[in-house]
PDB file of all heavy atoms in Angstrom:
ATOM      1  N   ASP M 212      -4.781   0.907   7.212  1.00 94.00           N
ATOM      2  CA  ASP M 212      -5.021   2.270   7.671  1.00 94.00           C
ATOM      3  C   ASP M 212      -4.235   3.179   6.736  1.00 94.00           C
ATOM      4  O   ASP M 212      -2.996   3.189   6.760  1.00 94.00           O
ATOM      5  CB  ASP M 212      -4.534   2.428   9.119  1.00 94.00           C
ATOM      6  CG  ASP M 212      -4.825   3.805   9.686  1.00 94.00           C
ATOM      7  OD1 ASP M 212      -4.759   4.799   8.931  1.00 94.00           O
ATOM      8  OD2 ASP M 212      -5.110   3.910  10.889  1.00 94.00           O
ATOM      9  N   ASN M 213      -4.929   3.950   5.896  1.00 94.00           N
ATOM     10  CA  ASN M 213      -4.245   4.738   4.876  1.00 94.00           C
ATOM     11  C   ASN M 213      -3.480   5.935   5.433  1.00 94.00           C
ATOM     12  O   ASN M 213      -2.659   6.521   4.719  1.00 94.00           O
ATOM     13  CB  ASN M 213      -5.258   5.203   3.830  1.00 94.00           C
ATOM     14  CG  ASN M 213      -5.760   4.058   2.974  1.00 94.00           C
ATOM     15  OD1 ASN M 213      -4.981   3.282   2.432  1.00 94.00           O
ATOM     16  ND2 ASN M 213      -7.079   3.923   2.870  1.00 94.00           N
ATOM     17  N   GLU M 214      -3.721   6.285   6.683  1.00 90.00           N
ATOM     18  CA  GLU M 214      -2.976   7.382   7.296  1.00 90.00           C
ATOM     19  C   GLU M 214      -1.626   6.915   7.820  1.00 90.00           C
ATOM     20  O   GLU M 214      -0.618   7.598   7.678  1.00 90.00           O
ATOM     21  CB  GLU M 214      -3.789   8.016   8.427  1.00 90.00           C
ATOM     22  CG  GLU M 214      -5.035   8.760   7.955  1.00 90.00           C
ATOM     23  CD  GLU M 214      -5.742   9.478   9.086  1.00 90.00           C
ATOM     24  OE1 GLU M 214      -5.200   9.478  10.219  1.00 90.00           O
ATOM     25  OE2 GLU M 214      -6.823  10.047   8.838  1.00 90.00           O
ATOM     26  N   THR M 215      -1.599   5.721   8.421  1.00 92.00           N
ATOM     27  CA  THR M 215      -0.360   5.224   9.031  1.00 92.00           C
ATOM     28  C   THR M 215       0.355   4.192   8.168  1.00 92.00           C
ATOM     29  O   THR M 215       1.549   3.953   8.338  1.00 92.00           O
ATOM     30  CB  THR M 215      -0.654   4.586  10.399  1.00 92.00           C
ATOM     31  OG1 THR M 215      -1.477   3.415  10.201  1.00 92.00           O
ATOM     32  CG2 THR M 215      -1.398   5.573  11.304  1.00 92.00           C
ATOM     33  N   GLY M 216      -0.391   3.565   7.249  1.00 92.00           N
ATOM     34  CA  GLY M 216       0.185   2.510   6.426  1.00 92.00           C
ATOM     35  C   GLY M 216       0.167   1.150   7.097  1.00 92.00           C
ATOM     36  O   GLY M 216       0.552   0.152   6.485  1.00 92.00           O
ATOM     37  N   SER M 217      -0.277   1.085   8.335  1.00 93.00           N
ATOM     38  CA  SER M 217      -0.331  -0.191   9.056  1.00 93.00           C
ATOM     39  C   SER M 217      -1.658  -0.890   8.775  1.00 93.00           C
ATOM     40  O   SER M 217      -2.584  -0.300   8.225  1.00 93.00           O
ATOM     41  CB  SER M 217      -0.182   0.056  10.563  1.00 93.00           C
ATOM     42  OG  SER M 217      -1.227   0.880  11.037  1.00 93.00           O
ATOM     43  N   PHE M 218      -1.746  -2.162   9.175  1.00 93.00           N
ATOM     44  CA  PHE M 218      -2.950  -2.953   8.964  1.00 93.00           C
ATOM     45  C   PHE M 218      -3.589  -3.291  10.297  1.00 93.00           C
ATOM     46  O   PHE M 218      -2.892  -3.557  11.286  1.00 93.00           O
ATOM     47  CB  PHE M 218      -2.628  -4.236   8.198  1.00 93.00           C
ATOM     48  CG  PHE M 218      -2.421  -4.021   6.725  1.00 93.00           C
ATOM     49  CD1 PHE M 218      -1.213  -3.534   6.246  1.00 93.00           C
ATOM     50  CD2 PHE M 218      -3.433  -4.302   5.812  1.00 93.00           C
ATOM     51  CE1 PHE M 218      -1.019  -3.329   4.883  1.00 93.00           C
ATOM     52  CE2 PHE M 218      -3.249  -4.093   4.456  1.00 93.00           C
ATOM     53  CZ  PHE M 218      -2.041  -3.611   3.989  1.00 93.00           C
ATOM     54  N   GLU M 219      -4.915  -3.278  10.334  1.00 92.00           N
ATOM     55  CA  GLU M 219      -5.657  -3.645  11.534  1.00 92.00           C
ATOM     56  C   GLU M 219      -6.622  -4.780  11.201  1.00 92.00           C
ATOM     57  O   GLU M 219      -6.960  -5.011  10.043  1.00 92.00           O
ATOM     58  CB  GLU M 219      -6.420  -2.441  12.083  1.00 92.00           C
ATOM     59  CG  GLU M 219      -7.534  -1.943  11.184  1.00 92.00           C
ATOM     60  CD  GLU M 219      -8.393  -0.874  11.831  1.00 92.00           C
ATOM     61  OE1 GLU M 219      -8.601  -0.942  13.059  1.00 92.00           O
ATOM     62  OE2 GLU M 219      -8.857   0.020  11.117  1.00 92.00           O
ATOM     63  N   SER M 220      -7.083  -5.441  12.229  1.00 94.00           N
ATOM     64  CA  SER M 220      -7.996  -6.565  12.060  1.00 94.00           C
ATOM     65  C   SER M 220      -9.341  -6.098  11.502  1.00 94.00           C
ATOM     66  O   SER M 220      -9.928  -5.130  11.992  1.00 94.00           O
ATOM     67  CB  SER M 220      -8.213  -7.254  13.405  1.00 94.00           C
ATOM     68  OG  SER M 220      -9.350  -8.086  13.385  1.00 94.00           O
TER      69      SER M 220
END
Side-chain angles (χ1 to χ4, degrees):
D212 183 325
N213 290 310
E214 292 185 5
T215 65
S217 60
F218 283 80
E219 66 172 326
S220 163

